[in-house]
Each structure stands twice: as structure tokens, then as C-alpha cells.
Amino acid sequence: MHTRRSSWRNATPIAAMLLLPATDIGPAQEPDSGSAQLQPVRDSASVFCPVCGAQNRAGSRFCLKDGSPLPAIDPVRYAGGFLRAPETLSAGEIQETVRRATRSVVRVRVKAAAKLRYPVIERSTRLRGYKGRLESFDDEGRLAGSGFAVSPDGEIVTNAHVASPFGTQARLTVETQDGRSFPARVLGIDRASDLALLKIDSGSIPPLTWGDSDQVRLGEETWAIGNPLDLGISVTRGTISSMTRLRTGLQQVENFLHSDASITGGNSGGPLVDLLGRVVGVSNMGFHQAKGQGYSIPSKMARLVMERLRQRGTYERGFLGVQVRPVDAEALQRFTVKRATGSVVESVLAGSPAAGAGFNPGDVLFGINGREAAATYLLQEAVASVGPGVSLRMTLDRTGQVLELPVTTVARPEEPRIDPILDLARYLMVRVEEEPGGKGVTLRMTDEFSVARKYGLSDGCRLTSVLPAQDWPDTWIDLVDYKKLPGVVQVGGLDDLRRALGRAYLGGRFAAAIHCGEDQYPLTSVAFDESWAIVL
């Protein structure tokens, strides 16, 4: 699989849950006897030189490479459950740990039919901006990604975009490092986090042990392992580069670990392991244009999702119906925010539980059920993890006044979108204002580098009508054709625009043809890859 997903593919942060039983979010379990984790050295094991790291036979008193005295093995020190501190491992021991971990990594071959439609644009020679049309893809795709065993009875973890790349059922085959091949079936897929759990009828693949991503330290050494295409096992070394739990917007639920261990094409779904061979992340994506940009789903998040998929085949999340963002410079500029931390409500979905409970744009959420949850990713997953039909008490700050609002969750939609106007405005870097008297909507540039100018839009242009992507034809849209197309929506105010742009999402992209009646060049088409907002 390509680690940077294509524009038409539909693709978030799971942290320590505030509302789950301790058994769901507890520490990693003790390693199974069949685990690929580094095991205690016993009578028949090798002895590694503390000076050069060379491997020597058990019982040797001196290193065969440099003659250094070898330490005697103390059976008490290597009692069951003992874990070495990573800094005490020699180079040879680290290599052996990684070698053992590779035995658990598999290639996942995928065959799936794909029938897709998605919007594309190109610069127009007749218009000042861009023209758009729909493009189609109808073919059988043959792809490959990676995965790894997590149980002795043949359970395999991989990415959702590997197990079901086009959002449809696929034929899956798991191939081991030694050339064996097994048909695989899907136990569950969670597209929000881009994780999937597969099952093969074999218990011969040694499982890896889960580590605790919450205990990973900045600068800690990690290894990204994959089994891409026909290249065999791929192993890259790197360090944890960021502890800020990055968000890219490519998935609904994100809380990425950032490591500079390169995630190459076909490595999606493979493990990110520490020096003890424990899985601290699931490789998810990399950016080929920039080296050292590897993003992995934290193990704590992956373990929780795997448990839900194993038990129910799905992860049914709770939903309130608000779009939020962290308290940052933009939020401070747009809203009257009195708190330095928390999640600012940007928009409330009409008819949602949040609307019924009285949530307003500008509210700063910072607690749930009496416990603080200032981090946005933690608040999102705290709401999601309880599922639908659960009563919550949300603590918020409204212009300096602390309130607690009761609200009951409903089932989270498969593709939750709150306000398409915000998605368009954020991409174009504009402010969308309604003209009085239903005379249309005006675009105001909020930044001198506004992307809107690239599309031929000017500051203060009055938007009179739009044609959303789902109503685009297969031929290029020009001004003459635009006026004849049946899907064109006249825009008298923000409600008209919001309803029309609800049909702008197609094939993992957001696109619309925009008509500004008073401009010299009144028509342009805008299209960009969809970026998921943070939705509770």
C-alpha cells in the first residue's frame, strides 16, 4: 500500500480513556511464551559481549572476537517477567530482538474491485480560476500492505485502508516471511482510526507483545518493520521525534506517534517496536516528499480498538454533534475565550444532542463527568468510548462562566461532518459572511496569503450560486454549461450554502464550482483533499 493515501480514498486520537473500566486501558499484559519479545537468556542461549556486543556460545568465559571476559548468567536475575532496561542492551542483543520481531510480520495481499468517482480541476484558459469535472476509476485493484500477529491463534493487525482499500469487501491473503500463504477473513474494521483485525487458520506465527505508547520517551529508539510488495522484510531504525500527538486530518480519530523511522511504500499496517520488541505503534502513513516523516497509531489506541473489534466486529462510538478545535491563536481571534486550555466549540450540528443540550459556538470544553480533559484528543475519545445512549456531564467555560451541561450520546455516524462551510473557509483562508436581506454570501480574505486568490476569488466577492461535486458532470464545466446544469443551487444566505455544500464531499475530496455574480471572471472550481475536523 502507498503510505500517503490517494485523494479518492476515504480514510484520530485514542488516549487513556476517562470512562472505561481499568481492564480496558490497563498496562500491557505479561508476554506470552510464544511472543516475539526479547526473552530471558537461559542455559542454551547465547552470551553477548558487554564490550563489542558479539554473540558467543553459552558457557563461554571470554569473547571470541575481542577476548573480553563474559559475564556469568545469574538465573535469579533472569527470572520470569524480568525486563531488561533498553540502555543495557548490546548491539547484538538489539539485532536479535529485531530479528525475532520480524518473524511475526506478514505481507497482506489484497484483490478488490474499485468503482470510484472523484472531482478534479485544472487551470482554465478562458476563466481566471479553475474548471472542474468528475473522473472515474473502474478496475480491479491488486495491492499489498503489512500486518503482524497479536495472538497465537492467527489474529493479524493491519490498517483499514489495507484490509478494505476502496471501502468494499476484498479478497485477502496473508504471506509469512518463510513463504507460506493463508487466506484471511476480516473480524472487524474501524475506519475512523484506520485499523482492522484479520484472522487466519494457523497458529504458527509467533505473536508480538503490546507495549505502552504512553511510556514512550522523546528520543527513544524505535524500529519500523514491514513486509512490502515482493521486497521481503523491511526494517528501518529511528527515534521518537515528537510527543505532541500530531494531527494531520487524514483520519477521523488521530493521535499519532511521530518517529523518523521511515515508513516506506507497503509498510502500512506493520509494527513500530521498541528495543525490547514490544509494539508501541502501528505504522500508518509516511510522506515521501519529506524523509523522517513516519506516523504510527499509538499502541494504547490500537489495543482498545482491537478489543472492540474482537468482541463485536465494530467499534460503536458515542456522538454529541459538535465540531471543536484546541485553544489556539485562531480560536482566540474568532471567539471570546477566557481559558488557555481546552477544546473550543466551532459549530453545533442542528438537531444533535449537543444542540438540544444548549452547546454554543465559543464554548470551551475542558471536563467530562467531573474529571478534567483539557486535551482535545482525550476529550474526543472519552466521548466516543462510552458508545451511544450514555448520559454525560460536560464541563465548559462560556465567556468566563463555568457550566456543566448534561447530554446523552447517540451513535456516531460513519462519516460525521458538522459544517461544510467551515471546511471550505478553512481551506480558502476566508471568512464567510451573510449579506442582509438574503442577498447572498460574501467572502472576506482573512490572510494576505489566502488560497482563495489562487482560484481567482477576490476579497468581498458575493457568492450567488454553487454546484457541489456530487452534481458535477464528466465534462469540463464552463460558464455557459454551468448555467444550464440542474444541480446549481442559488445562495441567498448561509443556510442555502450549507445545504448545498453538504453534497460537496465525494471520493475523499471536497469540491464545488463557485459563481460570484459581480466579478469580471465570475466562475471558478475549487477542489481539495478532505481533511477531517475534530468531531465529538
Side-chain angles (χ1 to χ4, degrees):
M1 295 298 298
H2 295 294
T3 51
R4 179 66 170 96
R5 286 193 274 287
S6 303
S7 62
W8 39 260
R9 180 172 299 134
N10 288 327
T12 34
I14 299 185
M17 300 302 98
L18 294 178
L19 307 175
L20 290 177
T23 53
D24 284 335
I25 61 171
Q29 297 176 354
E30 291 296 328
D32 297 325
S33 59
S35 167
Q37 178 181 333
L38 181 67
Q39 297 295 320
V41 180
R42 302 194 187 278
D43 294 342
S44 60
S46 301
V47 179
F48 293 90
C49 176
V51 177
C52 69
Q55 185 176 6
N56 295 269
R57 289 184 179 181
S60 300
R61 297 180 59 192
F62 299 95
C63 177
L64 293 176
K65 184 175 181 180
D66 64 5
S68 299
L70 298 175
I73 296 177
D74 182 356
V76 176
R77 185 182 176 208
Y78 288 88
F82 172 81
L83 292 178
R84 292 270 299 279
E87 57 269 20
T88 68
L89 299 175
S90 67
E93 289 175 301
I94 293 172
Q95 292 172 6
E96 177 64 14
T97 299
V98 175
R99 185 192 68 80
R100 292 182 186 179
T102 61
R103 298 182 303 170
S104 305
V105 180
V106 299
R107 178 183 301 124
V108 181
R109 289 197 179 272
V110 185
K111 182 187 288 186
K115 189 172 184 179
L116 306 164
R117 302 186 79 204
Y118 52 95
V120 295
I121 58 173
E122 69 174 33
R123 184 170 287 280
S124 173
T125 56
R126 297 177 57 189
L127 305 173
R128 183 171 60 180
Y130 286 76
K131 57 184 178 179
R133 68 178 177 87
L134 289 185
E135 220 170 71
S136 300
F137 177 84
D138 190 355
D139 200 358
E140 183 179 71
R142 295 173 181 266
L143 308 165
S146 300
F148 58 96
V150 290
S151 73
D153 58 351
E155 290 183 344
I156 306 293
V157 171
T158 188
N159 288 142
H161 77 264
V162 172
S164 179
F166 308 114
T168 58
Q169 189 173 0
R171 281 185 287 174
L172 305 174
T173 303
V174 167
E175 298 177 354
T176 63
Q177 184 182 354
D178 56 12
R180 290 174 295 153
S181 179
F182 305 93
R185 62 184 184 275
V186 176
L187 294 183
I189 290 179
D190 181 49
R191 297 193 184 281
S193 63
D194 196 26
L195 288 167
L197 184 62
L198 312 181
K199 181 74 165 62
I200 62 173
D201 293 326
S202 173
S204 59
I205 304 176
L208 287 173
T209 299
W210 290 108
D212 187 354
S213 52
D214 282 356
Q215 300 303 314
V216 173
R217 298 171 295 177
L218 188 67
E220 183 172 332
E221 186 173 326
T222 54
W223 298 77
I225 308 175
N227 199 335
L229 304 177
D230 295 316
L231 303 178
I233 289 292
S234 166
V235 179
T236 56
R237 181 177 65 178
T239 59
I240 297 297
S241 306
S242 174
M243 298 297 293
T244 56
R245 296 299 193 257
L246 296 172
R247 238 197 105 73
T248 66
L250 294 176
Q251 294 171 191
Q252 296 180 34
V253 182
E254 289 182 352
N255 184 27
F256 286 125
L257 283 178
H258 178 203
S259 169
D260 60 9
S262 178
I263 298 177
T264 59
N267 275 22
S268 291
L272 183 74
V273 302
D274 63 11
L275 292 181
L276 296 176
R278 301 172 299 187
V279 179
V280 295
V282 181
S283 296
N284 189 243
M285 68 181 73
F287 293 92
H288 299 305
Q289 299 88 347
K291 294 182 179 180
Q293 297 292 322
Y295 296 89
S296 300
I297 302 166
S299 61
K300 200 151 194 177
M301 173 180 181
R303 287 184 66 192
L304 174 63
V305 174
M306 288 306 110
E307 283 301 317
R308 298 291 177 95
L309 297 183
R310 183 180 293 116
Q311 295 169 6
R312 308 167 192 170
T314 186
Y315 187 173
E316 193 172 33
R317 290 177 165 85
F319 178 72
L320 299 181
V322 292
Q323 179 172 321
V324 300
R325 64 177 301 133
V327 175
D328 54 17
E330 184 177 339
L332 292 172
Q333 183 179 3
R334 288 178 54 195
F335 304 104
T336 306
V337 176
K338 301 295 185 180
R339 288 184 61 88
T341 60
S343 303
V344 182
V345 175
E346 289 191 288
S347 184
V348 181
L349 180 65
S352 67
F359 287 76
N360 294 330
D363 289 345
V364 181
L365 307 178
F366 64 93
I368 179 171
N369 285 0
R371 302 184 66 178
E372 184 174 358
T376 302
Y377 74 87
L378 180 60
L379 184 66
Q380 182 188 38
E381 197 49 38
V383 171
S385 64
V386 301
V390 176
S391 297
L392 302 175
R393 293 176 289 109
M394 305 297 296
T395 308
L396 58 89
D397 184 300
R398 180 174 293 169
T399 62
Q401 181 182 6
V402 175
L403 304 174
E404 188 172 77
L405 298 182
V407 61
T408 301
T409 60
V410 296
R412 181 185 174 100
E414 185 175 345
E415 295 182 340
R417 301 181 180 101
I418 304 299
D419 191 347
I421 294 179
L422 285 179
D423 292 342
L424 179 65
R426 181 176 291 111
Y427 172 73
L428 292 179
M429 301 170 69
V430 299
R431 187 172 65 252
V432 182
E433 298 178 346
E434 186 174 69
E435 292 290 319
K439 295 182 179 179
V441 169
T442 301
L443 302 183
R444 299 291 183 187
M445 307 295 176
T446 57
D447 194 293
E448 60 179 318
F449 302 107
S450 175
V451 178
R453 292 187 172 88
K454 181 184 85 169
Y455 289 96
L457 298 169
S458 58
D459 186 26
C461 70
R462 187 166 59 86
L463 193 155
T464 55
S465 65
V466 296
L467 180 66
Q470 294 181 29
D471 298 313
W472 280 15
D474 296 329
T475 56
W476 293 111
I477 303 170
D478 61 24
L479 185 57
V480 175
D481 294 333
Y482 176 85
K483 295 178 179 180
K484 300 176 182 178
L485 292 172
V488 174
V489 178
Q490 301 300 315
V491 177
L494 291 178
D495 289 341
D496 295 334
L497 181 61
R498 187 171 288 111
R499 281 192 297 269
L501 293 182
R503 295 179 53 80
Y505 303 96
L506 183 65
R509 308 203 82 198
F510 182 106
I514 298 175
H515 185 268
C516 291
E518 298 175 353
D519 276 18
Q520 181 181 1
Y521 303 95
L523 183 67
T524 189
S525 294
V526 175
F528 53 92
D529 291 347
E530 183 177 3
S531 178
W532 290 101
I534 305 172
V535 174
L536 307 183

